[in-house]
Amino acid sequence: MLLGALGLLVLAYSDGALSHMVLFAILFACGEGINSVTWALVGDFFGRRNFATIRGWIGMLQSIVSIPGAVFTGWIYDQTQSYTYALIPFAISYGAAGLVMWRLPHPERRAPLESPAS
């Protein structure tokens, strides 16, 4: 997540050079590639019984919160003719998420679920 934040900052302050775009793609891919790990963390922290409910709520809330992000980005571009000031809050959000994930305590190992007898 922290590398994804750095990638957004590279994109925000880039002059459009190919080397900057490649660096952005590599760094941002690290941030996006963590998604499967975050879902695994939900399972580790809350267990299998709660996983589907929590994943459903997170997915719904992510969808709802994404709408203003697109509108905000378009409004910033209309006002400044640049995406720089829109990318900075997104980089800060990625950085904050990365710091939160970094500081999470290790989840306790739970006993495996017993399978129902057939």
Side-chain angles (χ1 to χ4, degrees):
M1 298 292 292
L2 296 173
L3 292 175
L6 185 59
L8 285 174
L9 292 174
V10 166
L11 183 63
Y13 294 107
S14 168
D15 61 0
L18 179 61
S19 60
H20 294 159
M21 296 303 106
V22 170
L23 182 59
F24 158 73
I26 292 168
L27 292 171
F28 197 70
C30 291
E32 289 298 306
I34 197 78
N35 283 337
S36 59
V37 173
T38 59
W39 286 121
L41 280 174
V42 170
D44 286 347
F45 275 98
F46 302 103
R48 292 181 182 177
R49 286 197 174 105
N50 301 313
F51 181 80
T53 301
I54 292 171
R55 183 167 176 162
W57 276 100
I58 290 173
M60 181 184 67
L61 293 173
Q62 280 179 330
S63 297
I64 291 169
V65 172
S66 295
I67 295 168
V71 173
F72 168 75
T73 303
W75 181 78
I76 290 292
Y77 184 82
D78 288 345
Q79 300 300 313
T80 66
Q81 299 303 304
S82 172
Y83 289 107
T84 301
Y85 295 111
L87 291 173
I88 292 170
F90 297 148
I92 291 169
S93 297
Y94 255 74
L99 291 174
V100 166
M101 287 181 67
W102 189 358
R103 300 296 301 158
L104 286 174
H106 292 285
E108 293 180 23
R109 292 282 179 194
R110 299 172 189 258
L113 288 177
E114 294 180 23
S115 59
S118 353

